[in-house]
């Protein structure tokens, strides 16, 4: 399959790319790793008249812990770079992020696909989107009107829809604090497929569980936190009760990948499993 005709533009810097995007308007799309966009173009689900290639912008390829202990990841960092980062590259307490990479597609996809591309694409089952919502990440976007930081909880609007303006580029994602007791797990039909349901938890533990965050992917148009399940954790309930509360709180869709009752069953299993994995760290 071949995409519809388009004009190719190679960006030299972020400012040049955003200026070009502003000039070209809705006709243009950014391309980074191309692992989602090219497939959509080949299926003619996307027909941009212009592609602005940002893959050469090395300033957006970085990974490191800042002085406040937050993890900053440049938009062009690949999934594989994160997966293989040395311990001092990711910093203590971010193992959940490194380990989640193994769930993303296959090695060739992880070596080309980027963190920024994943978040900008906004798939409701994507591991990066789920991690961002779970860990209160901030998404840094730059455009002709300057730079802004958007909390992950306000970034995803619906299926493949985000707060990014058409002339903005996602430049960085910031995870503000380590999450030493966090875990992500999921179920997919085959290894490397997108998840049918994904669950992630981040426990607050001081001797015993004092509370925590619970987030789900594949149950709504975007990844969601589940306050009802988090309330169970803060009131000293069991992981099983937490998982039951998560399954009862959401109304997952029914589609070719699974019915609503099947997805609820997965939620019960996966939330409990994620809690147990997080606790065992
Ligand atoms: P691209 O494909 O280049 O772009 C994707 C979208 O984001 C486009 O709309 C583009 O305009 C926009 N964009 C890209 N970068 C930016 C930026 N910096 N600023 C603004 N907009 C930007 N992903 C998962 O999360 N989990 C999976 O299990 C998974 N399995 C996969 C299996 C297969 C077979 C394939 C082909 C892909 C899979 N993916 C999966 C997708 C993969 O993770 C992609 O890398 C990712 O979704 C997009 O990253 P990219 O850099 O390739 O972006």
């Amino acid at each position: 399959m071949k995409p519809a005709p388009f004009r190719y533009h190679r960006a030299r810097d972020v400012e040049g790319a955003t200026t070009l995007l502003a000039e070209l308007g809705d006709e243009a799309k950014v391309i980074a790793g191309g692992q989602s966009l090219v497939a959509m173009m080949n299926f003619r689900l996307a027909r941009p008249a212009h592609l602005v290639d940002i893959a050469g912008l090395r300033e957006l390829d970085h990974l490191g812990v800042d002085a406040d202990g937050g993890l900053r990841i440049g938009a062009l960092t690949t999934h594989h770079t994160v997966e293989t980062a040395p311990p001092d590259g990711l910093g203590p307490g971010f193992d959940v992020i490194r380990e989640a990479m193994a769930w993303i597609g296959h090695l060739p996809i992880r070596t080309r696909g980027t963190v920024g591309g994943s978040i900008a694409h906004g798939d409701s089952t994507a591991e990066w989107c789920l991690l961002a919502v779970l860990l209160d990440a901030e998404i840094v976007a730059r455009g002709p009107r300057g730079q802004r930081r958007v909390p992950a909880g306000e970034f995803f609007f619906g299926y493949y829809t985000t707060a990014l303006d058409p002339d903005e580029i996602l430049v960085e994602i910031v995870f503000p604090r380590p999450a030493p007791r966090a875990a992500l797990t999921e179920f997919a039909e085959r290894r490397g497929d997108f998840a049918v349901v994904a669950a992630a938890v981040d426990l607050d533990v001081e001797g015993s569980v004092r509370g925590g965050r619970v987030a789900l992917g594949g149950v709504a148009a975007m990844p969601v936190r589940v306050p009802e399940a988090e309330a169970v954790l803060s009131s000293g309930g069991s992981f099983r009760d937490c998982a039951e509360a998560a399954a009862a709180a959401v109304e997952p869709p029914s589609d070719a990948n699974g019915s609503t009752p099947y997805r609820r069953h997965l939620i019960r299993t996966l939330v409990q499993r994620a809690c147990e994995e997080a606790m065992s760290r």
Side-chain angles (χ1 to χ4, degrees), residues 29-40 54 60 75-76 79 103-106 109-110 112-123 125-129 164 168-171 186 192-195:
K29 273 242 164 242
V30 169
I31 185 162
Q35 296 302 294
S36 294
L37 183 56
V38 171
M40 291 183 78
I54 61 168
L60 302 186
L76 285 179
H79 313 310
W103 292 105
I104 301 180
H106 308 281
I109 292 155
R110 298 200 291 273
R112 286 175 177 267
T114 66
V115 178
S118 214
I119 291 173
H121 190 55
D123 191 303
T125 63
E127 289 76 10
W128 278 110
C129 302
L164 275 182
E168 280 183 314
I169 286 184
L170 195 165
V171 291
E186 63 185 54
D193 283 0
F194 278 97

Side-chain angles (χ1 to χ4, degrees), residues 180-225:
R181 298 284 193 142
L184 180 152
T185 190
E186 63 185 54
F187 176 79
E189 287 282 324
R190 297 169 304 181
R191 188 84 191 174
D193 283 0
F194 278 97
V196 179
V197 171
V201 304
D202 175 23
L203 300 179
D204 300 330
V205 180
E206 277 176 47
S208 58
V209 177
R210 300 297 165 99
R213 282 150 292 280
V214 178
L216 296 171
V219 305
M222 62 201 117
V224 290
R225 287 267 297 272

Side-chain angles (χ1 to χ4, degrees), residues 75-111:
L76 285 179
T77 310
T78 64
H79 313 310
H80 187 59
T81 299
V82 176
E83 181 177 32
T84 56
D88 59 342
L90 268 192
F94 290 108
D95 287 346
V96 61
I97 294 179
R98 185 201 310 278
E99 288 169 13
M101 297 302 95
W103 292 105
I104 301 180
H106 308 281
L107 184 62
I109 292 155
R110 298 200 291 273
T111 54

